[in-house]
Amino acid sequence: MNGIGEHEADKHAQVWVLKAGQWVLAEDPVAIHEGHHDSYEAVLQAAGYRVWTGVAEPYTVPLMLNVWARSEEPSFLFDLEGPGQSQTVYAAALPDALTLLNQLAPTLQALAITDQIAHAEPETRSVLADVLDTLHDRRRDKRGRLLNDRS
């Protein structure tokens, strides 16, 4: 044996699934396909998952999210990927997936904004500045200098 007891080995094949608002451990639906395919995407597809949605592009933000979906439970696979590792969790059904997305919303919003700023082209940076000025109730003169509203 490889030093991992039978009891501990069973834990390695389990994953966290959000089901009816509660986190439960369940058998990993993807594990049986690992080692039989060339890529992680091929493994997910072999388990019946297809891309559902995602946030961010590689190397532009510190955390990316990809969500995969299939018809059988657990229906949604959430892949959170950082620079050094990734973490996968599941949602049993659509209400659970929406709950999890809602919990991740503040992080996803920050990632989306960071992604937009990272990809801002020089000709669109003035638009970004205009949005920030509007959000902070700032005004600028024709030369782009901030106006002091203290009259």
Side-chain angles (χ1 to χ4, degrees), residues 25-86:
L25 282 171
E27 185 178 338
D28 187 350
V30 174
I32 61 172
H33 302 282
E34 290 177 345
H36 302 289
H37 300 280
D38 295 335
S39 69
Y40 183 62
E41 289 80 13
V43 169
L44 296 181
Q45 290 174 355
Y49 288 99
R50 301 292 177 258
V51 173
W52 190 56
T53 191
V55 175
E57 293 179 31
Y59 312 114
T60 60
V61 294
L63 183 66
M64 297 181 310
L65 170 69
N66 289 299
V67 182
W68 298 71
R70 68 178 188 173
S71 58
E72 62 187 281
E73 281 192 16
S75 297
F76 296 88
L77 180 150
F78 283 68
D79 180 32
L80 293 162
E81 188 172 339
Q85 68 177 32
S86 66

Side-chain angles (χ1 to χ4, degrees), residues 13 28 31 52 82 98 104 115:
D28 187 350
W52 190 56
L98 295 175
L104 293 169
D115 194 44

Side-chain angles (χ1 to χ4, degrees), residues 109-143:
Q109 183 180 25
L111 291 175
I113 291 168
T114 302
D115 194 44
Q116 290 299 309
I117 291 170
H119 287 94
E121 297 293 329
E123 59 272 6
T124 61
R125 287 191 183 136
S126 64
V127 173
L128 179 60
D130 292 344
V131 169
L132 291 172
D133 286 345
T134 300
L135 287 172
H136 294 287
D137 200 24
R138 296 185 298 223
R139 294 184 313 129
R140 295 181 183 268
D141 66 16
K142 292 183 181 191
R143 292 187 202 170

Side-chain angles (χ1 to χ4, degrees), residues 16-24 55 63 65 67 78 80 89-92 94-111:
W16 287 107
V17 178
L18 184 63
K19 184 171 185 166
Q22 300 293 318
W23 286 102
V24 297
V55 175
L63 183 66
L65 170 69
V67 182
F78 283 68
L80 293 162
V89 295
Y90 295 83
L94 181 60
D96 302 304
L98 295 175
T99 296
L100 189 51
L101 282 172
N102 187 46
Q103 291 173 356
L104 293 169
T107 301
L108 297 177
Q109 183 180 25
L111 291 175

